[in-house]
């Protein structure tokens, strides 16, 4: 394809009509992950900007977590630290860190860090996600055209935090009578 990539906006198997079982399998796997993963959005109990610093643990904290002694989270020089009675440590960005029975994840660009706290237990039968029916006609095979000069853009990540990303390029999508170009 001479330097261009292809972007398929569904599962990656061929021919396109064979995708339905693959899509169903992926949906089932995702529903299982949502129900069981320690960092599933269904387990999230708080997403808080760190700002000048926040407290975790006892009632009245920025993020109250039952049974957890007081901890403080601060961001200095782009590093997010967790300070507790026992030890202080750096929280690696985007990596789950156990804290008592909870899990915490630090995220966000320097100066705009956040902490997401996840509870250890959830309802035994969480509601499964609902999906649009699979439709072969909605499958598009598109060409990703790299930018002349890649730039850095701000995008909203799946966790609701704005992140900086390198521009990958554009695709042209047929919409009715006039195509739309997406970056």
């Amino acid at each position: 394809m001479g330097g261009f990539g292809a972007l398929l906006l569904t599962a990656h198997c061929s021919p396109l009509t064979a995708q339905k079982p693959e899509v169903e399998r992926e949906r089932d796997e995702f529903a299982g992950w949502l129900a069981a993963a320690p960092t599933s959005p269904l387990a999230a109990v708080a997403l808080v900007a760190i700002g000048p610093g926040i407290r975790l643990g006892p009632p009245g904290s920025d993020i109250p977590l039952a049974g957890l002694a007081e901890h403080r989270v601060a961001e200095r020089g782009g590093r997010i630290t967790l300070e507790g009675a026992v030890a202080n440590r750096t929280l690696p960005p985007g990596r789950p860190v156990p804290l008592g029975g909870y899990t915490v994840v630090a995220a966000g660009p320097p100066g705009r860090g956040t902490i997401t706290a996840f509870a250890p237990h959830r309802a035994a039968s969480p509601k499964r996600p609902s999906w649009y029916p699979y439709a072969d006609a909605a499958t598009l095979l598109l060409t990703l055209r790299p930018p002349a000069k890649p730039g850095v853009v701000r995008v909203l990540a799946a966790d609701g935090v704005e992140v900086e990303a390198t521009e990958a390029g554009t695709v042209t999508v047929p919409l009715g009578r006039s195509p739309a170009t997406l970056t």
Side-chain angles (χ1 to χ4, degrees), residues 1 10 13 36 66 73-74 78 82 84 90 93 97 101 104 109 111 118 121 134 138 140-141 144 148 153 162 175 179:
M1 280 204 252
T10 61
C13 64
V73 176
L82 175 67
T90 298
V97 173
V104 295
F118 298 89
H121 302 291
Y134 180 82
L140 301 172
L141 183 59
L144 176 63
V153 293
E162 237 182 46
L175 290 177

Side-chain angles (χ1 to χ4, degrees), residues 73-96:
V73 176
E75 182 178 2
R76 291 179 200 91
R79 286 183 36 183
I80 298 174
T81 57
L82 175 67
E83 303 163 357
V86 177
N88 298 342
R89 60 183 161 170
T90 298
L91 295 177
R95 291 204 181 143

Side-chain angles (χ1 to χ4, degrees), residues 84-153:
V86 177
N88 298 342
R89 60 183 161 170
T90 298
L91 295 177
R95 291 204 181 143
V97 173
L99 182 62
Y102 298 90
T103 300
V104 295
V105 176
R112 295 195 339 259
T114 62
I115 291 291
T116 304
F118 298 89
H121 302 291
R122 298 186 292 288
S125 301
K127 183 179 175 184
R128 288 181 59 90
S130 55
W131 313 96
Y132 287 102
Y134 180 82
D136 278 331
T139 302
L140 301 172
L141 183 59
L142 305 170
T143 299
L144 176 63
R145 297 192 191 326
K149 183 178 177 187
V152 175
V153 293

Side-chain angles (χ1 to χ4, degrees), residues 33-48 63-65 102-105 115-123 158-160:
W33 177 84
L34 281 173
T39 56
S40 162
L42 300 178
V45 294
L47 170 62
V48 176
I63 302 178
L65 301 171
Y102 298 90
T103 300
V104 295
V105 176
I115 291 291
T116 304
F118 298 89
H121 302 291
R122 298 186 292 288
D159 60 3

